[in-house]
Amino acid sequence: MGFERKIEITKDELAHLGAGEVGYIRKISSDEVQERFPGVPKMESGIDLWGLFNADGTPLFLSDDPSTAWGKAVEDEINPVSVH
């Protein structure tokens, strides 16, 4: 019989798990950009873009090409994953 070790983690710790190490790349419409990427100039509606986000959801980079977003993640030593 083995012993199970229970590890407790707070919601705040869970929210920051992987921050700065893991990020995700997902398609984002230009309509979402204003709310997800504050400070980005207003864009024409209906354009598909690609966002790189920290594991906690913090926006890091925006591109019109998924491979550029992927390259930025690698350059910043963030292990990128794709979210569909």
Side-chain angles (χ1 to χ4, degrees):
M1 219 182 236
F3 290 96
E4 289 186 32
R5 182 176 169 201
K6 184 177 179 180
I7 299 174
E8 293 188 26
I9 186 168
T10 67
K11 285 183 183 181
D12 189 52
E13 289 170 330
L14 182 60
H16 292 94
L17 191 65
E21 297 174 12
V22 176
Y24 61 93
I25 297 168
R26 75 169 181 89
K27 189 183 287 188
I28 180 172
S29 75
S30 56
D31 302 321
E32 293 178 80
V33 168
Q34 293 304 139
E35 73 180 58
R36 299 295 303 219
F37 288 83
V40 171
K42 190 163 175 71
M43 299 180 172
E44 182 180 325
S45 181
I47 299 171
D48 287 334
L49 300 165
W50 294 89
L52 169 61
F53 298 88
N54 202 349
D56 66 0
T58 304
L60 300 173
F61 184 76
L62 186 64
S63 176
D64 62 352
D65 177 49
S67 60
T68 302
W70 195 274
K72 178 65 174 164
V74 171
E75 177 184 305
D76 290 350
E77 298 182 357
I78 294 171
N79 295 312
V81 297
S82 185
V83 176
H84 301 278

